[in-house]
Amino acid sequence: MTKPQKVHFSYNNVIRDGVIMSNGPVELTVKSTDEGSGMEAIYYKAGDGIEGVLKGESGSMGRITGLEEIGHVPPKVRQMYGAVIELLEEGMDMEDIRVSTITERAGIGKGTAYEYFDTKDEIVACAVVSQIRWMFGWLGEQLEAKADFGEQLSFLLDVVEKKGHCSHSFLRFVHAMTSNSEFNRMIREKMNAEEFAAYRPANVFGRILRQGVERGAIRRDLPIEYMIHCVFSHLLSYMMEIATKDCFRMDAQSLRPFVYRGIMGELCGGMDS
């Protein structure tokens, strides 16, 4: 399938795939093609008679950033996101993924990808950022609903142990923050956006730790930043053992109680009863 046409409006020109189609003034109209159908279109008409229409699913008339609320992401983009995450979790290197690989796994035409993204790297980066955003947003909600810090920590370890995609998301976040590749710089740029602030792991865990301090369950003499580092470092060791199964001589099941006691002892130890 060939890459679909793109129509750009530049002052008094209509340019389609690099070819000037009109030099007259251009009028744009955006309206529903069928009320209630979820379809919308941009109608364009130039002064010299050139006219046409662009149609697409609701929400598809602009480029995807990976920062959208999941409910605002077009279904075909969600299918591409799911395909990317599946491929990564199956062990495929990002460099080996092609647009055709993604669209075939997603069950859509290759040309559809270019309605939303310009490059393969954009598809993969948006999929990774969207997954990290969803996972840490969901995790934050679940943790904030727990009664005390011990219960929150147990739940967190349960999630890491039982839901492999959460561990993979966390490890991808760590890799994105420590790698200097162009692709990971693209991911960091997206995660540094204001729209992503509430979903950054440091902010998610920071809210939980402040909650624990306010409840009197966690020491007040430690900076929140250090507490976040404490939780991250213990969790990273545990996640690496689960993900690799050969990182340490101690298996994950044996390591878990030490991770729990390590975090509780450092953050809650020495408090007055």
Side-chain angles (χ1 to χ4, degrees):
M1 182 179 293
T2 59
K3 185 174 179 178
Q5 288 184 337
K6 295 181 180 178
V7 178
H8 304 275
F9 302 96
S10 176
Y11 297 101
N12 290 329
N13 294 332
V14 176
I15 304 173
R16 179 184 292 132
D17 289 346
V19 179
I20 296 178
M21 305 296 295
S22 170
N23 287 312
V26 180
E27 296 181 0
L28 303 178
T29 304
V30 180
K31 59 184 179 180
S32 173
T33 59
D34 181 12
E35 186 173 359
S37 69
M39 300 295 289
E40 59 186 18
I42 295 178
Y43 295 84
Y44 63 93
K45 184 174 183 179
D48 56 5
I50 295 294
E51 60 183 328
V53 59
L54 297 173
K55 298 180 181 180
E57 293 174 86
S58 180
S60 68
M61 305 313 290
R63 279 306 192 239
I64 298 295
T65 66
L67 301 172
E68 296 83 3
E69 294 287 347
I70 194 63
H72 297 161
V73 177
K76 291 179 181 178
V77 174
R78 292 201 296 270
Q79 289 171 241
M80 284 189 278
Y81 283 177
V84 168
I85 298 306
E86 285 180 7
L87 291 167
L88 291 174
E89 293 188 355
E90 289 171 6
M92 181 173 285
D93 290 335
M94 192 279 292
E95 293 78 9
D96 295 331
I97 297 177
R98 300 287 182 266
V99 172
S100 58
T101 313
I102 296 170
T103 55
E104 286 173 11
R105 177 67 65 96
I108 61 177
K110 181 178 177 181
T112 302
Y114 294 106
E115 296 177 15
Y116 305 97
F117 305 97
D118 288 325
T119 67
K120 178 263 294 185
D121 283 0
E122 287 182 3
I123 302 174
V124 178
C126 287
V128 170
V129 169
S130 180
Q131 188 203 32
I132 292 173
R133 171 186 168 129
W134 173 85
M135 196 273 286
F136 281 102
W138 172 82
L139 186 60
E141 291 177 357
Q142 297 298 313
L143 291 173
E144 289 177 11
K146 302 303 176 186
D148 57 53
F149 183 64
E151 186 179 346
Q152 290 170 329
L153 183 54
S154 292
F155 177 80
L156 181 57
L157 294 176
D158 285 342
V159 168
V160 168
E161 187 174 334
K162 296 176 182 177
K163 293 195 173 183
H165 63 276
C166 290
S167 296
H168 287 298
S169 293
F170 189 93
L171 292 172
R172 278 192 206 102
F173 167 78
V174 172
H175 182 63
M177 298 305 291
T178 55
S179 170
N180 288 322
S181 71
E182 186 62 34
F183 173 71
N184 284 302
R185 283 197 293 271
M186 184 188 303
I187 292 179
R188 286 199 296 274
E189 182 178 345
K190 292 179 180 296
M191 291 194 297
N192 284 334
E194 184 62 31
E195 302 96 308
F196 194 83
Y199 306 96
R200 291 174 197 146
N203 290 341
V204 172
F205 289 128
R207 288 194 297 272
I208 299 305
L209 292 165
R210 289 186 182 90
Q211 186 183 70
V213 171
E214 292 170 0
R215 290 173 171 176
I218 297 178
R219 293 166 55 179
R220 295 179 177 273
D221 60 320
L222 297 175
I224 289 292
E225 293 75 14
Y226 176 76
M227 296 184 194
I228 294 171
H229 172 79
C230 171
V231 173
F232 266 49
S233 60
H234 282 86
L235 284 180
L236 183 57
S237 296
Y238 190 48
M239 289 178 177
M240 288 177 65
E241 174 58 33
I242 292 173
T244 64
K245 300 187 184 302
D246 57 6
C247 185
F248 306 102
R249 293 182 179 178
M250 182 180 293
D251 61 53
Q253 186 176 2
S254 301
L255 183 62
R256 172 174 172 149
F258 291 99
V259 172
Y260 180 89
R261 290 203 297 267
I263 295 174
M264 293 295 289
E266 194 162 355
L267 302 188
C268 307
M271 295 182 61
D272 294 334
S273 57

Coordinates of all heavy atoms in Angstrom, one line a residue, residues 67-118:
L67 N 0.9 11.5 24.4 CA 0.6 12.1 25.7 C -0.9 12.2 25.8 O -1.4 12.7 26.8 CB 1.2 13.5 25.8 CG 2.7 13.5 25.7 CD1 3.3 14.9 25.6 CD2 3.3 12.8 26.9
E68 N -1.7 11.7 24.8 CA -3.1 11.8 24.9 C -3.8 10.9 25.9 O -3.2 9.9 26.2 CB -3.8 11.5 23.5 CG -3.4 12.4 22.4 CD -2.0 12.1 21.8 OE1 -1.4 11.1 22.2 OE2 -1.6 12.8 20.9
E69 N -4.9 11.3 26.5 CA -5.7 10.4 27.3 C -6.1 9.2 26.5 O -6.4 9.4 25.3 CB -6.9 11.1 27.9 CG -6.7 12.3 28.8 CD -6.2 11.8 30.2 OE1 -6.3 10.6 30.5 OE2 -5.7 12.6 31.0
I70 N -6.0 8.0 27.1 CA -6.2 6.8 26.3 C -7.6 6.8 25.6 O -7.7 6.3 24.5 CB -6.1 5.6 27.2 CG1 -5.9 4.3 26.3 CG2 -7.2 5.4 28.2 CD1 -4.7 4.3 25.4
G71 N -8.6 7.5 26.3 CA -9.9 7.5 25.6 C -9.9 8.4 24.4 O -10.9 8.3 23.6
H72 N -8.9 9.3 24.2 CA -8.9 10.2 23.1 C -8.0 9.6 22.0 O -7.8 10.3 21.0 CB -8.4 11.5 23.5 CG -9.3 12.2 24.5 ND1 -8.9 13.3 25.3 CD2 -10.6 12.0 24.8 CE1 -9.9 13.7 26.0 NE2 -10.9 12.9 25.8
V73 N -7.4 8.4 22.2 CA -6.5 7.9 21.2 C -7.4 7.1 20.2 O -8.2 6.2 20.6 CB -5.5 6.9 21.8 CG1 -4.6 6.3 20.8 CG2 -4.6 7.7 22.8
P74 N -7.3 7.3 18.9 CA -8.1 6.6 17.9 C -7.8 5.1 18.0 O -6.7 4.6 18.3 CB -7.5 7.1 16.5 CG -7.0 8.5 16.9 CD -6.4 8.4 18.2
P75 N -8.8 4.2 17.8 CA -8.7 2.8 17.9 C -7.5 2.2 17.1 O -6.9 1.3 17.7 CB -10.1 2.3 17.4 CG -11.0 3.4 17.6 CD -10.2 4.7 17.4
K76 N -7.3 2.7 15.9 CA -6.2 2.1 15.2 C -4.8 2.4 15.7 O -3.9 1.6 15.6 CB -6.3 2.6 13.7 CG -7.5 2.0 13.0 CD -7.6 2.5 11.5 CE -8.8 1.9 10.8 NZ -9.0 2.4 9.5
V77 N -4.7 3.6 16.4 CA -3.5 3.9 17.1 C -3.3 3.0 18.3 O -2.2 2.5 18.6 CB -3.5 5.4 17.5 CG1 -2.2 5.7 18.3 CG2 -3.5 6.3 16.2
R78 N -4.4 2.7 19.0 CA -4.3 1.8 20.2 C -3.9 0.4 19.7 O -3.1 -0.3 20.4 CB -5.6 1.8 20.9 CG -6.0 3.0 21.6 CD -7.0 2.8 22.7 NE -8.3 2.3 22.2 CZ -9.3 3.1 21.9 NH1 -9.1 4.5 22.0 NH2 -10.4 2.6 21.5
Q79 N -4.4 0.0 18.5 CA -3.9 -1.3 18.0 C -2.4 -1.3 17.7 O -1.7 -2.3 17.9 CB -4.7 -1.6 16.7 CG -6.2 -1.9 17.0 CD -7.0 -2.0 15.7 OE1 -7.9 -1.3 15.5 NE2 -6.6 -2.9 14.8
M80 N -1.9 -0.2 17.1 CA -0.5 -0.1 16.9 C 0.3 -0.1 18.2 O 1.4 -0.7 18.2 CB -0.2 1.2 16.0 CG -0.6 1.0 14.6 SD 0.0 2.4 13.5 CE -1.3 3.6 13.9
Y81 N -0.2 0.7 19.2 CA 0.5 0.7 20.5 C 0.6 -0.8 21.0 O 1.7 -1.2 21.5 CB -0.3 1.5 21.5 CG -0.2 3.0 21.3 CD1 -0.9 3.9 22.1 CD2 0.7 3.6 20.4 CE1 -0.8 5.2 22.0 CE2 0.8 4.9 20.2 CZ 0.1 5.8 21.1 OH 0.2 7.1 21.0
G82 N -0.5 -1.5 21.0 CA -0.5 -2.8 21.5 C 0.5 -3.7 20.7 O 1.2 -4.6 21.3
A83 N 0.5 -3.5 19.4 CA 1.4 -4.3 18.6 C 2.9 -4.1 19.0 O 3.7 -5.0 19.1 CB 1.2 -4.0 17.1
V84 N 3.2 -2.8 19.1 CA 4.6 -2.4 19.5 C 5.0 -3.0 20.8 O 6.1 -3.6 21.0 CB 4.7 -0.9 19.6 CG1 6.1 -0.5 20.2 CG2 4.6 -0.2 18.2
I85 N 4.1 -2.9 21.8 CA 4.4 -3.4 23.2 C 4.6 -5.0 23.1 O 5.5 -5.5 23.7 CB 3.4 -3.0 24.2 CG1 3.3 -1.5 24.3 CG2 3.7 -3.7 25.5 CD1 4.6 -0.8 24.6
E86 N 3.8 -5.6 22.4 CA 3.9 -7.1 22.2 C 5.2 -7.4 21.6 O 5.9 -8.4 22.0 CB 2.8 -7.6 21.3 CG 1.4 -7.7 22.0 CD 0.3 -8.2 21.1 OE1 0.7 -8.7 19.9 OE2 -0.8 -8.2 21.4
L87 N 5.6 -6.7 20.5 CA 6.9 -7.0 19.9 C 8.1 -6.8 20.8 O 9.0 -7.6 20.8 CB 7.0 -6.1 18.6 CG 6.0 -6.5 17.5 CD1 6.0 -5.4 16.4 CD2 6.4 -7.8 16.8
L88 N 8.0 -5.7 21.6 CA 9.1 -5.4 22.5 C 9.2 -6.5 23.6 O 10.3 -6.9 24.0 CB 9.0 -4.0 23.1 CG 9.2 -2.8 22.1 CD1 8.8 -1.5 22.8 CD2 10.6 -2.8 21.6
E89 N 8.0 -6.9 24.1 CA 8.0 -7.8 25.2 C 8.4 -9.3 24.7 O 8.8 -10.1 25.5 CB 6.7 -7.8 25.9 CG 6.5 -6.5 26.6 CD 5.2 -6.5 27.5 OE1 4.5 -7.5 27.5 OE2 5.0 -5.5 28.2
E90 N 8.3 -9.5 23.4 CA 8.7 -10.7 22.8 C 10.2 -10.8 22.6 O 10.7 -11.8 22.1 CB 8.0 -11.0 21.5 CG 6.5 -11.4 21.7 CD 5.7 -11.4 20.4 OE1 6.3 -11.3 19.3 OE2 4.5 -11.5 20.5
G91 N 10.9 -9.6 22.8 CA 12.3 -9.6 22.7 C 12.8 -8.9 21.4 O 14.1 -8.9 21.2
M92 N 12.0 -8.4 20.6 CA 12.4 -7.8 19.3 C 13.1 -6.4 19.6 O 12.6 -5.6 20.4 CB 11.3 -7.6 18.3 CG 11.7 -6.9 17.0 SD 10.4 -6.9 15.8 CE 10.3 -8.6 15.3
D93 N 14.3 -6.2 19.1 CA 14.9 -4.9 19.2 C 14.2 -3.8 18.5 O 13.6 -4.1 17.4 CB 16.4 -5.0 18.7 CG 17.3 -5.9 19.6 OD1 16.9 -6.0 20.8 OD2 18.3 -6.4 19.1
M94 N 14.2 -2.6 19.1 CA 13.5 -1.5 18.5 C 14.0 -1.3 17.0 O 13.3 -1.0 16.1 CB 13.7 -0.2 19.3 CG 12.8 0.9 18.9 SD 13.4 1.9 17.5 CE 14.8 2.7 18.2
E95 N 15.3 -1.4 16.8 CA 15.9 -1.2 15.5 C 15.4 -2.2 14.4 O 15.4 -1.9 13.2 CB 17.5 -1.3 15.6 CG 18.1 -0.2 16.4 CD 18.0 -0.4 17.9 OE1 17.6 -1.6 18.3 OE2 18.4 0.5 18.7
D96 N 14.9 -3.3 14.9 CA 14.5 -4.4 13.9 C 13.0 -4.2 13.6 O 12.5 -4.9 12.7 CB 14.7 -5.8 14.5 CG 16.2 -6.1 14.7 OD1 17.0 -5.5 13.9 OD2 16.6 -6.8 15.6
I97 N 12.3 -3.4 14.4 CA 10.9 -3.2 14.1 C 10.7 -2.3 12.9 O 11.3 -1.3 12.7 CB 10.2 -2.6 15.3 CG1 10.3 -3.5 16.6 CG2 8.7 -2.3 15.0 CD1 9.7 -3.0 17.8
R98 N 9.8 -2.7 12.0 CA 9.4 -1.9 10.8 C 8.0 -1.5 10.9 O 7.2 -2.1 11.7 CB 9.6 -2.7 9.6 CG 11.1 -3.2 9.4 CD 12.0 -2.1 9.0 NE 13.4 -2.6 8.7 CZ 14.3 -2.6 9.6 NH1 14.0 -2.1 10.9 NH2 15.5 -3.0 9.3
V99 N 7.6 -0.5 10.2 CA 6.2 0.0 10.2 C 5.3 -1.2 9.7 O 4.3 -1.4 10.3 CB 6.0 1.2 9.2 CG1 4.6 1.5 9.1 CG2 6.8 2.4 9.8
S100 N 5.8 -1.9 8.7 CA 5.0 -3.1 8.2 C 4.8 -4.1 9.3 O 3.8 -4.8 9.4 CB 5.6 -3.7 7.0 OG 7.0 -4.1 7.2
T101 N 5.9 -4.3 10.1 CA 5.8 -5.3 11.2 C 4.7 -4.9 12.2 O 3.9 -5.7 12.7 CB 7.1 -5.4 12.0 OG1 8.2 -5.5 11.1 CG2 7.2 -6.6 12.9
I102 N 4.7 -3.6 12.5 CA 3.7 -3.1 13.5 C 2.3 -3.2 12.9 O 1.3 -3.7 13.6 CB 4.0 -1.6 13.8 CG1 5.3 -1.5 14.5 CG2 2.9 -1.0 14.7 CD1 5.8 0.0 14.6
T103 N 2.1 -2.8 11.7 CA 0.7 -2.7 11.1 C 0.2 -4.2 10.9 O -1.0 -4.4 11.0 CB 0.7 -1.9 9.8 OG1 1.6 -2.4 8.9 CG2 0.9 -0.4 10.1
E104 N 1.1 -5.1 10.5 CA 0.6 -6.5 10.3 C 0.2 -7.1 11.6 O -0.8 -7.7 11.7 CB 1.8 -7.3 9.7 CG 2.1 -7.0 8.2 CD 3.3 -7.7 7.7 OE1 3.8 -8.6 8.5 OE2 3.8 -7.4 6.6
R105 N 0.9 -6.8 12.7 CA 0.6 -7.3 14.0 C -0.7 -6.7 14.5 O -1.6 -7.3 15.1 CB 1.7 -7.1 15.0 CG 1.4 -7.5 16.4 CD 1.2 -9.0 16.6 NE 2.5 -9.7 16.3 CZ 3.3 -10.1 17.3 NH1 3.0 -9.8 18.6 NH2 4.4 -10.7 17.0
A106 N -0.9 -5.4 14.1 CA -2.1 -4.6 14.6 C -3.3 -5.0 13.7 O -4.5 -4.6 14.1 CB -1.8 -3.1 14.5
G107 N -3.1 -5.6 12.5 CA -4.2 -6.0 11.7 C -4.8 -4.8 10.9 O -6.0 -4.7 10.6
I108 N -3.9 -3.8 10.6 CA -4.4 -2.7 9.8 C -3.4 -2.5 8.6 O -2.4 -3.1 8.5 CB -4.4 -1.4 10.6 CG1 -3.0 -1.1 11.2 CG2 -5.4 -1.5 11.8 CD1 -2.9 0.2 11.9
G109 N -3.8 -1.6 7.6 CA -3.0 -1.4 6.5 C -1.8 -0.5 6.8 O -1.9 0.3 7.7
K110 N -0.7 -0.7 6.1 CA 0.5 0.0 6.4 C 0.3 1.5 6.2 O 0.8 2.3 7.0 CB 1.6 -0.4 5.5 CG 3.0 0.3 5.7 CD 4.1 -0.3 4.8 CE 5.4 0.5 5.0 NZ 6.4 -0.1 4.1
G111 N -0.5 1.9 5.2 CA -0.7 3.3 5.0 C -1.4 4.0 6.1 O -1.2 5.2 6.3
T112 N -2.2 3.3 6.9 CA -2.9 3.9 8.0 C -1.9 4.5 9.0 O -2.2 5.5 9.7 CB -3.7 2.8 8.8 OG1 -4.7 2.2 7.8 CG2 -4.5 3.4 9.9
A113 N -0.7 3.9 9.2 CA 0.2 4.4 10.2 C 0.6 5.8 9.9 O 0.8 6.6 10.8 CB 1.5 3.5 10.2
Y114 N 0.7 6.1 8.6 CA 1.2 7.5 8.2 C 0.1 8.5 8.3 O 0.3 9.7 8.1 CB 1.7 7.4 6.7 CG 3.0 6.6 6.6 CD1 2.9 5.3 6.0 CD2 4.2 7.0 7.1 CE1 4.1 4.5 6.0 CE2 5.3 6.3 7.1 CZ 5.3 5.0 6.5 OH 6.4 4.2 6.4
E115 N -1.1 8.1 8.6 CA -2.2 9.1 8.9 C -1.9 9.7 10.3 O -2.4 10.8 10.5 CB -3.5 8.4 8.9 CG -3.9 7.9 7.5 CD -5.3 7.2 7.6 OE1 -6.0 7.3 8.6 OE2 -5.6 6.4 6.6
Y116 N -1.2 9.1 11.1 CA -1.0 9.5 12.5 C 0.5 9.8 12.8 O 0.8 10.6 13.7 CB -1.5 8.5 13.5 CG -2.9 8.0 13.2 CD1 -3.2 6.9 12.5 CD2 -3.9 8.8 13.8 CE1 -4.5 6.5 12.3 CE2 -5.3 8.5 13.6 CZ -5.6 7.3 12.8 OH -6.9 6.9 12.6
F117 N 1.4 9.2 12.1 CA 2.8 9.3 12.5 C 3.7 9.5 11.2 O 3.3 9.0 10.1 CB 3.4 8.0 13.2 CG 2.6 7.7 14.4 CD1 1.6 6.7 14.4 CD2 2.9 8.3 15.6 CE1 0.9 6.4 15.5 CE2 2.2 8.0 16.8 CZ 1.2 7.0 16.7
D118 N 4.8 10.1 11.3 CA 5.7 10.3 10.2 C 6.8 9.2 10.1 O 7.2 9.0 9.0 CB 6.4 11.7 10.2 CG 5.4 12.8 9.9 OD1 4.5 12.7 9.1 OD2 5.6 13.9 10.5

